[in-house]
Structure formats: C-alpha cells, structure tokens
Amino acid sequence: MESLRTRSVTFLPILFLVLALALAATVSGSIHTYDRESFRENGNAYLLPGGSEGIVAAGESRSFNGKSYIKFENITFWRTAEAASYYTSMEHSTGLVQAIMFEASDRDNIGGSAYGGQRSLCCTADLAKLEGCRQGEVLRRPSSGDINWPYVLNTQFSGDDLSVDLVPEEVPITKTGMYNLFFIFCDPRLKGLTMSGKTVWRNPTGYLPGRMASLMTFYIFMSLAYLLLGLIWFSQYVRFWREILQLQNCITLVIVLGLFEMTLWYFEYANFNTTGIRPVGITAWVVTVGAIRKTVSRILILCVSMGYGVVRPTLGGLTSKVLLLGFTYFLANELLDISENVGSINDISGKARLFLVLPDAFLDAFLILWIFTSLSKTLEKLQARKSSAKLETYRKFANALTVAVVASVAWIAYEVYFKATDPFSERWQSAWIITAFWDVLAFVVLCVICYLWAPSQNSKRYAYSDETGEEADDEETISLTKVVTEGDISLAKRDTDKHSSHADGFSHDDDVEEDKRE
C-alpha cells in the first residue's frame, strides 16, 4: 500500500497538469480558431494547416435540408516589421497569402515537379513554362469534377502595412468528401508571418464533423441497450435482494457507469452539433466517467477470474497489487482519452499519440495475461474440489473471454489495415465503426457476466463457503441415497463424511499455500 501511495503522488501532478492545459486551451470543434498561429516551411512554401473534416454535401440527405459550407471569419495576417520594410507605403500587392481548400481525392492537383525533380507547392520558373502557372503562387490544377476546385482565396498586403484582413467568405460544399484547408505563402520575405481568426465548418445536420456524426446516433442505441440491460438486472436484483453477492454489486456499478457514460457522450455530441463548440468541462467529465467505467470493468473481470467471492473470500495479499494496477490503468486511459477528445477535433501528432497509446496498450496486455493466468488456476481449484456448478459457470466465462480476446486481436489487425490503407481519411464515413466496436464488445462481455451471475434464489450456491459440502457433492449424495436400502443409509452417510473431510483438508492446505505465495 505504501508503494501505491508513492506512485499516486507521482502520477497525480501529471494528470492535473494535463487537465489544466486542456482547460486552459481554447477548445473548439467545427469552429476552428487560430490565435497568432505560425507558418512552417515546407519545400519552397510556408504553410499553416487550417483543418481537416469530412463534410456531406447539401441536398444529398433527404432527412436534412441544412447547408454545408466552410466560412472564413475575422481572419487577419500579421507580418514582421522587417518584412514590411522591403516596401514603401505607395506600393501595392506587397505580399500574397493564399487559403486553399481541396477534397482529399484532389490532393494531387496541388503542386507539381519539373522534369521529375522535387515536388513543389509553389510555382517555379520551370513549372511556369510547363504548367502555365504564375510564379510565386500555389500551383493548382482544376478538378475533373469541378473546375472551381481546389478553391483558392487570395489576400494581398498593401504598401508597408503590418497586417491585412481576409475578406469574409462562405464557401458552399457541393460534393461529399474529406476536405482540407491550408494557408500558404510562397514569398520567403514573409517569413515570420502569423495568423488569427476562425473558420466555421458545417454539415447539413449541424456542426458535428462528418466522421463523428454517426457516433451520436450510435450512442443513442448504446444508451438504450444499457438501459434495457439495467432494467432486467435491477428487476432480478430487487426480486432476490436477500441473496445478493458482493460480486453482483460490482456488476451493478458497471451497468450504471456504462449507462451514464453512453448518455453523457450523446449529450456532449448533441451540444457539439448544435453550437460547434465542445465545452471542456462536459468533455472532461465524459472522458473521466469512461475511464472509470473501463477501469472498474477490467478489475471486475480480473477479480472474477481470481475466484473472488467464489473460491476465495478475499484477494488477500493481491489486493494492493490489483488496486495499484487499476489506478495506473485509470491514469493511462484518462490521459489518452483527454488527448483525443478534449481540444481540437484534428488528430494530434503521431509521436504524441504514440507516447500515450503505448502505456495503455501495455497495461491492457498485462491485464489479459493476468486474467487468463488467474482463470486457469481457478478452474483447476474448482475441478479438484469437484464443484460442478461453479466449474461449468467458469468454463462458460473462460470461453466468452477467449472469444472476446480473439475478436479484439482480429479487430486491432483490421484497424491497423484500415488506417494504413487510408492515410488521407477518404473512408471517413465508416471510420466511426472503429470506435464503436470497442464499446459494443465491452457491452457484450458485460451481458455474458450478467447472464452467468444473475441474481436468483440460488445465488448463494455460487458464493464462497467454508462448509465442505459443495453443491455438486450434495447432488451426488442425494442421488446415491435414493438407490441404497434403508439399512445402508448410515454407511452412505459415513462414506460421504469421509469424502467431505478429505476435501476439507485439500481445500485448507491449498488456500494456506496460496496465501504463502502471496
């Protein structure tokens, strides 16, 4: 426990720091805000990513008649005094900045290379001869589907002005796709340029990004599924409340957390869809509830696999280790989910995400190994004690977990394949399935646990007991007494007592030896 407290002191400041940074950030969803953002050099161009979202074209959905667009509001560019000093106040067009929007399938229409050389975003002297572009501007070829796309907005500095505003404009989206926005300049004398303002991205159904819209509907169905499961479970819980086990109280907690999490996700997405902004407080609470639910679910499965409440009354010396693992997993999952959900809707950098994914994946793998190791020992104990009813339940539980793990590994392989073959997110409309699968799998495993350990009038027969007469042995004794004669009853009873005392000795020695190992 001292180790647990020490590690808690170490990890808590990190968690609070991440939460503080998230709360301090300007969080926006489909309303992308820019606050003195800097451009970075890329080949012969300087660019600033403005956003990337899946947008459904207006009119393609019969259920919704809203507009689809990308709107530019209060965009201002600032250049350095050194950059402005190259010009006089009487000059015009002293610095060009371009905003270029394109659908992912038209990405090859931006930039080019002369004579097989390095690809350039900005038009060079050689490319001007070959492509007919204007030197110093972004090279753009018209799309085969619409000659107006990729769409370019030009903004020119005048004289020696330090700033210039982009004329507000609303660009309608007439084709469904993954749209990208970049702000670009080609003049090296503008180096050090910064930008502020915002862009508003809208789908016909609201501000929710296209790849997230399906999840809002999904969370409605998941909330209803948890509600139905909860009603069935609680009806049995109330009916057999005198027979309730501690394990069944833990299952009740997981159901409540699951319902709470799915409902919160739905309302968070609904608010996002209506306002275009993700309130940090709501998102942080949803993420925290989700992390708690995942942690409690995994610890519950681990405790069940160890035979808690069935073949052992407590976890003994393993309690502190289980709590430490649960706390560490909660931290890792909380940090990962905060980085993915609290903040911009754009993906965070690969290195940053990898740094947070690896601990979470490692802890999941460790948990799976510990679960199956413990489950194997529990099955061996039940088989040695000839507890047929408990053994059958645990075998079903083991089979369900095996199927879940195999499905998880297969889905991870598919997810890797999905992302590797779609680097530009062109299959964004089906990307929601990647996230949804894990919630469905967790729900299915929970349903299996609820089925195997449902409250009933026989719940106590599955509980741990110091008494030696296990239910299987009782059933065998009853069946034997039905076929023996009246004079043989005492003999059958002596044989049963002898067998029971032998089982007691085995059980006691086994538990003592395990406690020593712990």
Side-chain angles (χ1 to χ4, degrees), residues 122 154 213 265:
C122 295
N154 294 329
W265 273 122

Side-chain angles (χ1 to χ4, degrees), residues 84-120:
S85 66
Y86 289 106
Y87 308 98
T88 65
S89 59
M90 302 300 295
E91 294 181 84
H92 298 284
S93 303
T94 57
L96 174 66
V97 184
Q98 296 177 289
I100 184 163
M101 292 162 285
F102 60 93
E103 202 268 323
S105 60
D106 293 330
R107 59 187 177 275
D108 293 331
N109 290 11
I110 307 296
S113 60
Y115 312 113
Q118 183 179 359
R119 188 174 182 84
S120 302

Side-chain angles (χ1 to χ4, degrees), residues 362-381:
F362 172 78
L363 289 171
D364 262 329
F366 182 78
L367 268 166
I368 291 172
L369 180 62
W370 196 358
I371 286 170
F372 277 95
T373 301
S374 301
L375 193 56
S376 176
K377 293 179 180 179
T378 301
L379 288 171
E380 290 177 0
K381 286 183 180 180

Side-chain angles (χ1 to χ4, degrees), residues 233-252 453-460 463:
W233 178 266
F234 290 134
S235 66
Q236 293 294 102
Y237 190 98
V238 172
R239 184 181 176 186
F240 303 105
W241 65 275
R242 294 181 182 275
E243 304 294 325
I244 294 301
L245 307 176
Q246 186 63 35
L247 177 62
Q248 291 165 335
N249 289 327
C250 295
I251 295 173
T252 303
W453 281 278
S456 68
Q457 60 184 0
N458 296 322
S459 292
K460 294 295 185 181

Side-chain angles (χ1 to χ4, degrees), residues 39-48 97-98 121-122 138 182-193:
F39 288 68
R40 60 181 176 84
E41 188 172 359
N42 188 312
N44 68 339
Y46 296 81
L47 57 86
L48 171 65
V97 184
Q98 296 177 289
L121 291 175
C122 295
V138 174
F182 287 91
F183 297 93
I184 304 175
F185 67 86
C186 300
D187 187 353
R189 287 178 293 188
L190 288 176
K191 188 174 182 180
L193 186 76

Side-chain angles (χ1 to χ4, degrees), residues 150-419:
Y151 199 92
V152 179
L153 295 175
N154 294 329
T155 303
Q156 283 277 7
F157 281 92
S158 179
D160 58 355
D161 293 342
L162 293 178
S163 65
V164 63
D165 295 330
L166 185 151
V167 177
E169 184 165 346
E170 182 180 298
V171 181
I173 303 299
T174 58
K175 176 187 175 184
T176 298
M178 174 61 69
Y179 285 86
N180 300 272
L181 168 63
F182 287 91
F183 297 93
I184 304 175
F185 67 86
C186 300
D187 187 353
R189 287 178 293 188
L190 288 176
K191 188 174 182 180
L193 186 76
T194 59
M195 187 195 79
S196 294
K198 67 179 180 180
T199 55
V200 180
W201 305 53
R202 198 182 194 284
N203 274 286
T205 57
Y207 292 102
L208 199 64
R211 56 188 163 189
M212 300 170 68
S214 297
L215 283 174
M216 186 169 70
T217 305
F218 168 74
Y219 287 130
I220 293 177
F221 285 103
M222 286 303 300
S223 298
L224 293 175
Y226 270 100
L227 179 60
L228 179 61
L229 176 62
L231 290 175
I232 296 173
W233 178 266
F234 290 134
S235 66
Q236 293 294 102
Y237 190 98
V238 172
R239 184 181 176 186
F240 303 105
W241 65 275
R242 294 181 182 275
E243 304 294 325
I244 294 301
L245 307 176
Q246 186 63 35
L247 177 62
Q248 291 165 335
N249 289 327
C250 295
I251 295 173
T252 303
L253 175 61
V254 175
I255 294 175
V256 172
L257 287 172
L259 176 60
F260 193 38
E261 179 192 6
M262 295 299 112
T263 304
L264 281 177
W265 273 122
Y266 167 73
F267 283 110
E268 198 268 344
Y269 273 43
N271 180 76
F272 185 9
N273 190 50
T274 303
T275 64
I277 298 174
R278 302 186 77 174
V280 174
I282 295 177
T283 308
W285 271 113
V286 177
V287 166
T288 301
V289 171
I292 293 173
R293 193 265 305 170
K294 293 173 187 175
T295 302
V296 174
S297 299
R298 282 158 175 76
I299 296 303
L300 171 63
I301 293 175
L302 178 59
C303 291
V304 171
S305 300
M306 289 178 171
Y308 171 67
V310 178
V311 298
R312 57 197 308 171
T314 66
L315 296 181
L318 294 174
T319 302
S320 59
K321 297 178 183 178
V322 171
L323 291 176
L324 176 60
L325 178 61
F327 181 74
T328 306
Y329 182 84
F330 169 76
L331 285 178
N333 195 261
E334 176 82 349
L335 293 174
L336 177 61
D337 287 348
I338 283 177
S339 68
E340 290 183 337
N341 294 284
V342 180
S344 174
I345 59 171
N346 292 320
D347 292 335
I348 61 175
S349 64
K351 290 182 179 179
R353 190 176 189 280
L354 183 64
F355 175 77
L356 296 170
V357 166
L358 285 179
D360 192 72
F362 172 78
L363 289 171
D364 262 329
F366 182 78
L367 268 166
I368 291 172
L369 180 62
W370 196 358
I371 286 170
F372 277 95
T373 301
S374 301
L375 193 56
S376 176
K377 293 179 180 179
T378 301
L379 288 171
E380 290 177 0
K381 286 183 180 180
L382 292 174
Q383 191 169 11
R385 297 176 184 180
K386 297 181 180 180
S387 303
S388 59
K390 294 180 182 179
L391 181 61
E392 182 63 22
T393 299
Y394 266 83
R395 280 176 175 170
K396 291 178 180 178
F397 179 61
N399 291 337
L401 284 186
T402 302
V403 172
V405 171
V406 171
S408 298
V409 173
W411 192 256
I412 290 172
Y414 172 73
E415 185 175 349
V416 171
Y417 166 79
F418 184 91
K419 293 183 177 180

